[in-house]
Amino acid sequence: MSTPPRDADAALFGNSFAIEEVPTREFPENGMTAVDAMRLVGEDLALEGDPARNLATFVTTWMEPEAQRVIAENLHRNFIDHAEYPRTAEIEQRCIRMLADLFHAPGETTGARTQGSSEAIMLGALSLKWKWRKRREAAGGSTSSPNLVFGGDVHVVWEKFCRYFDVEPRIVPLKKGKYTIGPEDVAPHVDEDTIGVAAVLGTTFTGHKDDIVGLNDLLLRIKAERGLDVPLHVDAASGGFVWPFLYPDSAWDFRLEQVRSINVSGHKFGLVYPGIGWLIFRERSDLAPDLVFTENYLGKTDATFTLNFSTGSAMVLAQYYNFVRYGRAGYTYIMRNMQLNARLLAEKLRAMGRFELIGAGDEQLPLVAFRLTDKEVYDEFDIAWQLSAERGWMVPAYTLPPDAQSVTIMRALVKQTMSREHVDTLARDIEEACATLAKKGGAHETERRQVVTGSGH
């Protein structure tokens, strides 16, 4: 039996944890060298999937080396300390003003950076609730039963908001063949207790948008006929950095009168690593003033509008880097490249003769949503498993929300790092996965139990 390596050998040759259990439950008594700690973490992560082949996540997985340098050099800077880091605070305001311009705000406005769209949605919806309460009090009405109207195509954070902040969710169900919502779906749910209507620009399920123009027109009619001023919030987590560049003439933003607030994720198609999100108001008055705190912190007075407090400055600075690096021309170029490759993948899938494309001719995020046209010995979940096990692709398969839960689809997100060669390879791998599954009669039950389901985030 060989003897264990001496501590001196481990110190000389490294990798002291190679034959030991790594810390997983108990706080370690002793540490290890910096190199060993780095290797331990790196070797653990080597067991994960390759982000470049993760076609489920909307989150940015690549940035330029210069952007990474900006991030690395500012990880130590606490964003919330505006008095100590005033230039960082100014850069945040620059980003807010630029986004307000991108979204056609009619004049001076305000907003906030957030950890992502989830925090931005929470803050935006809180402002809807506070503003509604003021309106109801002014009208002498009750404020005990607020409700919020949105479709089944929203991110789960909307339901979280309703549960956390005691608001009735009025969820418009989807149905087979209709995976977004419009005015005819929303109209029956709006009343004097509605704090707002939420619409999605680029759903996580199929990449399409709700009928935001139709919803705006509905709310204008309700205001004229019933005297109810119900605001519209656009959840543009994914689409806010896509539609301005791919569909610049498509009205969904502050060009529509009832759109009072918009959230967008910088760490999605804003091309920044997580986590960074933005909340932009149409006008300063759309932010409920009671939600802004003026505080004395470390001897300095500052105003804050956040759910989080301390957080890094790096991603705010990285967002500004992207804005000045790419501009409208650069973002348009990148988004069009993604769109071209998404359309190419769609054509390749259509040519296989076994897939139906979901809304391929409509305004859509750069992705391909598809499903099997005929019943096979395998299903979409089996294809997702085979692609992952055989080729390392992470292409999600999932059922749609009620009342379209009988529909199973797959979705391949085409991002900045997905080249034409990757598209060709993925298409071949999908075809080969189907051929393999046909021969073996579908995935084995043990394989199916390991499939991760969900539309990704």
Side-chain angles (χ1 to χ4, degrees):
M1 181 176 180
S2 60
T3 58
R6 297 176 296 116
D7 288 344
D9 291 336
L12 178 61
F13 302 119
N15 208 12
S16 61
F17 58 86
I19 58 172
E20 300 173 0
E21 289 189 22
V22 301
T24 58
R25 297 178 64 87
E26 297 177 352
F27 202 91
E29 290 294 330
N30 300 302
M32 60 181 68
T33 68
V35 170
D36 278 358
M38 178 182 69
R39 291 181 64 183
L40 187 154
V41 174
E43 290 177 19
D44 233 356
L45 294 180
L47 300 175
E48 290 196 319
D50 179 3
R53 293 192 171 198
N54 184 356
L55 308 188
T57 181
F58 286 86
V59 173
T60 297
T61 55
W62 179 86
M63 291 189 75
E64 294 179 321
E66 293 82 359
Q68 295 188 47
R69 180 173 175 179
V70 169
I71 292 168
E73 292 180 353
N74 289 282
L75 289 170
H76 63 303
R77 198 179 307 275
N78 190 0
F79 172 78
I80 205 67
D81 293 344
H82 291 170
E84 287 77 10
Y85 308 125
R87 300 314 299 170
T88 301
E90 162 59 19
I91 287 174
E92 176 214 25
Q93 292 303 308
R94 292 178 191 175
C95 290
I96 289 170
R97 292 191 293 267
M98 289 178 180
L99 286 169
D101 174 61
L102 188 67
F103 299 158
H104 298 93
E108 287 294 318
T109 185
T110 189
R113 54 79 45 215
T114 60
Q115 285 298 101
S117 274
S118 292
E119 184 188 4
I121 287 167
M122 291 281 186
L123 290 170
L126 278 172
S127 192
L128 291 178
K129 184 179 179 181
W130 257 244
K131 296 286 287 185
W132 164 83
R133 189 162 58 192
K134 289 291 186 183
R135 292 195 301 273
R136 291 293 288 155
E137 289 171 349
S142 170
T143 60
S144 62
S145 304
N147 67 71
L148 180 62
V149 182
F150 50 85
D153 55 338
V154 300
H155 189 280
V156 69
V157 69
W158 286 99
E159 293 184 62
K160 283 186 177 182
F161 166 79
C162 290
R163 185 180 301 179
Y164 293 171
F165 293 103
D166 199 22
V167 173
E168 176 197 351
R170 293 188 173 177
I171 305 173
V172 179
L174 307 182
K175 55 188 176 182
K176 188 172 182 179
K178 189 175 185 298
Y179 309 129
T180 56
I181 64 168
E184 67 284 355
D185 308 303
V186 167
H189 301 285
V190 176
D191 59 26
E192 65 274 5
D193 289 322
T194 302
I195 68 173
V197 174
V200 184
L201 184 76
T203 74
T204 60
F205 299 102
T206 66
H208 299 101
K209 67 178 175 68
D210 290 333
D211 181 1
I212 301 173
V213 171
L215 293 172
N216 177 76
D217 293 344
L218 167 70
L219 297 179
L220 286 175
R221 287 197 302 273
I222 289 174
K223 182 160 63 173
E225 297 169 4
R226 296 161 58 185
L228 300 178
D229 188 5
V230 180
L232 182 58
H233 176 99
V234 177
D235 180 355
S238 296
F241 280 112
V242 173
W243 259 258
F245 307 112
L246 290 186
Y247 316 107
D249 297 326
S250 180
W252 61 271
D253 53 15
F254 296 129
R255 286 171 286 187
L256 305 177
E257 183 178 335
Q258 289 303 107
V259 175
R260 310 307 300 187
S261 51
I262 298 171
N263 68 274
V264 64
S265 291
H267 61 224
K268 292 182 180 176
F269 291 100
L271 309 180
V272 179
Y273 291 142
I276 180 73
W278 301 94
L279 173 63
I280 310 296
F281 291 96
R282 180 188 187 88
E283 300 172 357
R284 289 183 180 276
S285 60
D286 288 308
L287 169 57
D290 290 347
L291 294 175
V292 180
F293 280 78
T294 301
E295 59 188 349
N296 186 317
Y297 180 65
L298 298 179
K300 307 282 176 44
T301 300
D302 198 7
T304 62
F305 172 53
T306 60
L307 292 176
N308 294 298
F309 197 68
S310 292
T311 189
S313 298
M315 299 312 166
V316 173
L317 302 177
Q319 184 75 85
Y320 184 63
Y321 168 92
N322 276 357
F323 287 178
V324 299
R325 165 74 175 93
Y326 297 126
R328 288 179 185 266
Y331 270 100
T332 300
Y333 173 79
I334 292 168
M335 298 303 155
R336 284 179 178 170
N337 282 349
M338 295 183 194
Q339 184 184 54
L340 286 172
N341 278 333
R343 288 174 175 172
L344 175 65
L345 178 60
E347 287 305 313
K348 288 179 175 291
L349 291 173
R350 181 185 282 115
M352 292 178 195
R354 57 168 60 92
F355 293 112
E356 169 196 352
L357 303 179
I358 309 296
D362 302 327
E363 293 179 7
Q364 190 177 27
L365 296 174
L367 57 78
V368 184
F370 58 102
R371 61 192 298 255
L372 288 165
T373 53
D374 299 313
K375 186 174 179 60
E376 304 278 358
V377 293
Y378 55 90
D379 61 16
E380 289 86 354
F381 295 106
D382 292 350
I383 297 172
W385 165 261
Q386 194 67 32
L387 282 172
S388 175
E390 191 174 8
R391 299 297 184 192
W393 294 108
M394 289 170 270
V395 181
Y398 47 90
T399 56
L400 293 175
D403 289 333
Q405 63 267 38
S406 63
V407 179
T408 302
I409 69 174
M410 300 184 72
R411 190 203 65 216
L413 192 64
V414 177
K415 295 197 293 186
Q416 186 178 8
T417 52
M418 193 169 189
S419 67
R420 166 66 184 266
E421 177 60 25
H422 291 157
V423 170
D424 292 342
T425 301
L426 174 61
R428 286 195 301 269
D429 288 346
I430 290 174
E431 192 157 31
E432 289 174 7
C434 292
T436 299
L437 289 165
K439 287 181 181 178
K440 71 179 190 179
H444 190 272
E445 196 55 43
T446 57
E447 296 172 328
R448 287 175 176 161
R449 286 198 293 266
Q450 299 179 60
V451 174
V452 177
T453 62
S455 58
H457 301 289

